[in-house]
């Protein structure tokens, strides 16, 4: 009897040790979020990747970059691309520097912005990595003649609504040139709640341009168009027409900016959306025939590219 009890105790202890060992092994795994481009190169998608803990930061970076390069399937594609190589990785005091081959310079537009965002957002998921900087060979990454500099996960996010329904998208927003005489198309990335209209977020970008312009690819070439005190009172889209109603603050034109530049920064920005091809603007619920020096402000307006530089 005593021998049976001893055997049962040994078996029980062995099971407990195996169970504790498995729990310890599970505790040493870490879940990382890896970002990819969708199949149409329009938005970011994300996948979870489990990896054992214990690797140093640079080793983790190499591992996650490898996953980003090889983990694609029919629904999404790698942000790394086959043609771009990572020559070197340096990490110091929460800052990560990535050195890419010259092939990185072949990227542009939406694909470049989304790829850069995917890499930065993935690597900032590593404990201790707060900022990421890109170099092409030995030179800092330049976009539209400007040094991109240090980025973090928030560098690509504006207008967040933390309800678990957010999507990331590259959009085109029209601001004024430095002289206020023409428009400049600037690309930026927005994170938006799928329950809210993207059109509304674009208008908020124009109103709060002092905050949003630094995240565009034309940050040193443009200035705001819409007065920052303006309130968007209502926005509806019906039959491809976007109806906007602003507070009277929109009439406080900023010095040096032409009236039509303000109006068509709004119209052209909204007409970038697939469900909008015309815009009608009212002020405090009323039609207004003139806006500054511009006649016909009360009309339904179409995209006008004459002002685009």
């Amino acid at each position: 009897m005593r021998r049976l009890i001893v055997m049962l105790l040994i078996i029980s202890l062995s099971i407990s040790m195996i169970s504790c060992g498995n729990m310890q092994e599970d505790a040493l795994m870490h879940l990382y979020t890896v970002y990819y481009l969708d199949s149409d190169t329009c938005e970011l998608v994300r996948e979870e990747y489990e990896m054992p803990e214990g690797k140093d930061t640079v080793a983790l970076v190499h591992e996650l970059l490898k996953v980003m390069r090889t983990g694609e399937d029919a629904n999404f594609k790698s942000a790394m691309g086959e043609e771009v190589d990572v020559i070197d990785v340096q990490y110091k005091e929460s800052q990560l520097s990535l050195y890419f081959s010259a092939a990185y310079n072949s990227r542009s537009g939406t694909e470049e912005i989304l790829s850069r965002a995917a890499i930065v957002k993935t690597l900032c998921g590593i404990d201790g990595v707060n900022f990421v900087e890109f170099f092409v060979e030995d030179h800092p990454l330049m976009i539209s003649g400007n040094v991109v500099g240090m980025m973090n996960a928030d560098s690509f996010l504006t207008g967040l609504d933390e309800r678990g329904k957010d999507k990331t998208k590259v959009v085109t927003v029209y601001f004024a040139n430095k002289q206020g005489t023409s428009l400049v198309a600037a690309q930026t990335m927005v994170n938006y709640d799928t329950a809210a209209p993207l059109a509304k977020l674009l208008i908020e970008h124009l109103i709060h341009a002092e905050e949003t312009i630094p995240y565009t690819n034309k940050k040193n070439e443009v200035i705001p168009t819409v007065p920052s005190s303006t309130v968007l009172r209502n926005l509806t889209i019906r039959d491809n027409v976007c109806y906007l109603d602003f507070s009277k603050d929109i009439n406080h034109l900023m010095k040096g900016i032409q009236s039509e530049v303000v109006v068509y920064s709004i119209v052209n920005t909204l007409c970038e959306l697939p469900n909008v091809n015309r815009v009608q603007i009212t002020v405090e619920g009323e039609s207004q025939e003139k806006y500054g020096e511009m006649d016909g402000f009360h009309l339904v307006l179409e995209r006008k590219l004459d002002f685009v530089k």
Side-chain angles (χ1 to χ4, degrees), residues 246-264:
F246 289 110
S247 66
K248 60 184 179 182
D249 301 78
I250 197 170
N251 286 322
H252 302 156
L253 276 77
M254 291 182 286
K255 185 177 180 180
I257 300 182
Q258 294 182 4
S259 317
E260 287 185 289
V261 169
V262 178
V263 173
Y264 283 100

Side-chain angles (χ1 to χ4, degrees), residues 30-38 44-50 64 67-68 70-77 118 121-122:
H30 190 88
L31 200 63
Y32 292 91
T33 301
V34 180
Y35 290 85
Y36 301 91
L37 281 61
D38 72 341
L44 292 183
V45 293
R46 58 189 181 187
E47 293 283 317
E48 302 300 329
Y49 180 76
E50 196 173 45
L64 288 176
V67 171
M68 294 183 74
T70 60
E72 60 182 287
D73 65 15
N75 298 317
F76 51 86
K77 57 185 182 180
K121 285 165 66 66
T122 296

Side-chain angles (χ1 to χ4, degrees), residues 284-300:
E284 301 282 351
E286 301 291 334
S287 295
Q288 185 174 299
E289 290 191 16
K290 275 182 82 76
Y291 181 76
E293 299 298 319
M294 175 186 168
D295 293 317
F297 182 57
H298 64 296
L299 300 174
V300 178

Side-chain angles (χ1 to χ4, degrees), residues 165-304:
K165 299 179 181 179
D166 55 282
K167 294 182 70 176
T168 306
K169 188 177 184 67
V170 172
V171 295
T172 300
V173 183
Y174 289 83
F175 297 106
N177 67 347
K178 292 288 190 179
Q179 294 74 37
T181 56
S182 64
L183 294 171
V184 178
Q187 286 186 319
T188 187
M189 181 172 290
V190 296
N191 216 38
Y192 65 101
D193 185 344
T194 54
L198 181 55
K200 181 178 179 181
L201 182 55
L202 294 182
I203 296 301
E204 295 295 336
H205 263 58
L206 292 175
I207 293 173
H208 303 294
E210 293 288 354
E211 302 170 18
T212 59
I213 283 177
Y215 295 110
T216 70
N217 65 332
K218 303 279 186 178
K219 57 186 176 182
N220 294 329
E221 302 176 29
V222 298
I223 57 175
T225 54
V226 180
S228 60
S229 58
T230 303
V231 175
L232 177 62
R233 300 176 72 242
N234 191 34
L235 182 152
T236 57
I237 299 175
R238 188 170 62 251
D239 297 327
N240 297 114
V241 180
C242 185
Y243 298 90
L244 302 171
D245 186 45
F246 289 110
S247 66
K248 60 184 179 182
D249 301 78
I250 197 170
N251 286 322
H252 302 156
L253 276 77
M254 291 182 286
K255 185 177 180 180
I257 300 182
Q258 294 182 4
S259 317
E260 287 185 289
V261 169
V262 178
V263 173
Y264 283 100
S265 73
I266 298 170
V267 174
N268 286 4
T269 294
L270 291 173
C271 286
E272 290 287 336
L273 298 174
N275 60 333
V276 176
N277 54 36
R278 292 181 297 166
V279 177
Q280 186 169 41
I281 302 172
T282 55
V283 179
E284 301 282 351
E286 301 291 334
S287 295
Q288 185 174 299
E289 290 191 16
K290 275 182 82 76
Y291 181 76
E293 299 298 319
M294 175 186 168
D295 293 317
F297 182 57
H298 64 296
L299 300 174
V300 178
L301 303 172
E302 297 181 352
R303 182 201 312 262
K304 192 172 185 179

Side-chain angles (χ1 to χ4, degrees), residues 147-166:
V147 175
V148 174
M150 287 290 177
M151 299 164 283
N152 61 19
D154 294 333
S155 297
F156 305 92
L157 305 181
T158 53
L160 271 173
D161 188 310
E162 298 292 350
R163 290 195 284 170
K165 299 179 181 179
D166 55 282

